[in-house]
Amino acid sequence: MTRQHAADRGQHRPMSQAGSDRVCPVRTGCQHEQERHRYTRGVLADPTTQEPGRAAAKLTSRLVPIVTANNRTSPVGVQFPQPRVTTRDASDALLDDVVGNWWSVLVWGNDPTDLLSETELGKLEALGARLVAIVPENQREWTERSADPRVLVLGDHTGRFKEWFDDRPTPIVFLRPDRFVAGACLAQHAPATLDAILESMHFTGRPASDRTRPELAQAGL
């Protein structure tokens, strides 16, 4: 089934069309500007209820357990910022350049394999997702030595990642190929959030070696 045929049958709209016809190419705009280009329907999961395909613009109070993380605006459906990062091989690289142009799971301050079960990791592997640990730059070399080989470690040498995550009670972010946030959650909500995202894109769980598969075409990938 082609992407057009899937759209004709109403099974799923491409991510770039879901919930809004406007896509902001600017990754460095203010929060108000980003809110104008929020998706509330499509390939995403609500951070409060883990409902697939829909996401409210606000978090509920039960998801704000930390006083400093008092931003109740949901990061889901909004394009993720584009900070510069440090890696083992680059001192000042753009996030997209080191992560690639496919699905990514970003975890602040932790190795994703320490927070996700092998069941969830298997689903992410089938999706072809990149596992990424983001840490302060002064912790990067130590984290690289101890991280799982499947994990890409990035150093936050500008402080922009720390600022973003400090302001939100969601240390795990599921990032779509178009760099909009499909899901953001606490560690204990990661399994339900991942399953909701996969359900919203009709993903069957087959390996991601063939990215022309119907279920991915339906999701606009």
Side-chain angles (χ1 to χ4, degrees):
M1 181 186 301
T2 66
R3 182 183 305 182
Q4 185 60 49
H5 289 160
D8 290 343
R9 293 180 60 181
Q11 294 178 336
H12 209 300
R13 300 174 67 193
M15 290 194 300
S16 60
Q17 299 174 9
S20 171
D21 291 328
R22 299 176 301 173
V23 176
C24 178
V26 180
R27 303 283 292 281
T28 57
C30 65
Q31 182 172 327
H32 175 72
E33 179 65 19
Q34 291 175 338
E35 286 298 304
R36 292 180 56 226
H37 303 281
R38 169 185 294 278
Y39 291 132
T40 57
R41 300 181 65 182
V43 180
L44 38 72
D46 187 87
T48 301
T49 65
Q50 286 79 55
E51 179 184 1
R54 297 176 183 269
K58 296 293 182 181
L59 300 170
T60 64
S61 58
R62 71 182 181 88
L63 284 180
V64 190
I66 305 171
V67 174
T68 56
N70 58 4
N71 186 345
R72 297 178 187 241
T73 300
S74 170
V76 176
V78 176
Q79 200 165 33
F80 197 74
Q82 172 76 308
R84 290 188 173 272
V85 296
T86 303
T87 72
R88 189 191 306 271
D89 302 315
S91 60
D92 189 44
L94 289 173
L95 176 66
D96 286 358
D97 290 340
V98 296
V99 171
N101 61 355
W102 196 238
W103 283 88
S104 305
V105 180
L106 311 182
V107 178
W108 170 251
N110 280 289
D111 184 325
T113 61
D114 290 338
L115 303 181
L116 301 168
S117 72
E118 286 301 321
T119 298
E120 284 102 55
L121 292 172
K123 294 175 182 178
L124 290 168
E125 182 180 3
L127 183 61
R130 191 77 181 266
L131 304 177
V132 182
I134 307 170
V135 298
E137 172 58 20
N138 60 5
Q139 299 177 21
R140 178 179 56 82
E141 292 187 5
W142 178 87
T143 306
E144 286 174 339
R145 291 193 295 269
S146 59
D148 186 283
R150 295 170 288 183
V151 174
L152 171 67
V153 179
L154 304 181
D156 177 31
H157 67 288
T158 68
R160 287 192 62 201
F161 274 115
K162 184 180 188 302
E163 180 181 3
W164 194 92
F165 281 101
D166 278 354
D167 201 33
R168 296 163 178 84
T170 49
I172 300 179
V173 171
F174 296 87
L175 202 59
R176 304 185 330 188
D178 61 2
R179 292 309 181 248
F180 277 76
V181 178
C185 61
L186 301 169
Q188 59 264 38
H189 297 155
T193 299
L194 175 59
D195 285 343
I197 293 169
L198 296 178
E199 181 178 343
S200 74
M201 63 185 293
H202 306 290
F203 183 68
T204 64
R206 292 199 298 269
S209 57
D210 180 5
R211 293 177 179 173
T212 63
R213 299 198 316 271
E215 66 271 20
L216 296 187
Q218 288 173 222
L221 301 180

